[in-house]
Amino acid sequence: MQFAGGLSDRQAADAVRGRLDWKYLLGLELVDPGFDHSVLPEFRDRLIAGDAGIQLLDRVLEAAAEHGLLKAGGRARTDSTIVLSAVRQTGGLVRLGENFACRTEQRGDPRAGVAGWVGSA
């Protein structure tokens, strides 16, 4: 969300504290105080160091396949090297999540609530 909105760490932390849509997407209570902006770079470093981005992508893809949103043996439209490189970046994961949510909403899928699949991944 931070990447998609082009927000700085400070702006993203302010959005978590003050915007209902961000609190909902993150599964936070309305009265949640949020966090200090200095936490975000540390969190990104930990994600990268532990390959958490790739693990999250794998879980998202598994969930998509289980719900019939992905089909095996389909035609590849891009070189997988480029895709793997992009998903290793936090921004790539953000775009994937947004595209996945938009796709399920377009299909009228009742499981389209982003908070639901993010919380289970």
Side-chain angles (χ1 to χ4, degrees):
M1 293 174 0
Q2 178 183 0
F3 178 80
L7 303 177
S8 69
D9 289 345
R10 187 177 300 273
Q11 291 169 320
D14 288 343
V16 170
R17 282 190 292 276
R19 292 185 50 179
L20 294 178
D21 55 340
W22 282 53
K23 286 183 185 260
Y24 175 78
L25 183 64
L26 295 170
L28 301 174
E29 297 290 327
L30 292 177
V31 295
D32 191 289
F35 51 84
D36 187 73
H37 68 91
S38 62
V39 172
L40 291 173
E42 181 181 318
F43 179 70
R44 281 192 294 271
D45 291 344
R46 288 180 29 218
L47 286 176
I48 292 167
D51 280 336
I54 298 300
Q55 293 173 21
L56 176 60
L57 175 62
D58 289 343
R59 298 220 25 215
V60 168
L61 293 175
E62 288 170 12
E66 287 173 10
H67 294 304
L69 299 172
L70 297 176
K71 297 178 183 173
R75 290 179 49 190
R77 290 191 171 93
T78 61
D79 176 25
S80 62
T81 305
I82 295 169
V83 173
L84 290 174
S85 174
V87 297
R88 284 194 171 101
Q89 300 173 10
T90 303
L93 290 172
V94 170
R95 286 190 300 275
L96 172 72
E98 288 174 351
N99 289 331
F100 182 73
C102 288
R103 179 69 177 154
T104 57
E105 288 172 9
Q106 288 171 352
R107 293 180 52 169
D109 192 322
R111 300 168 297 229
V114 176
W117 70 263
V118 169
S120 65

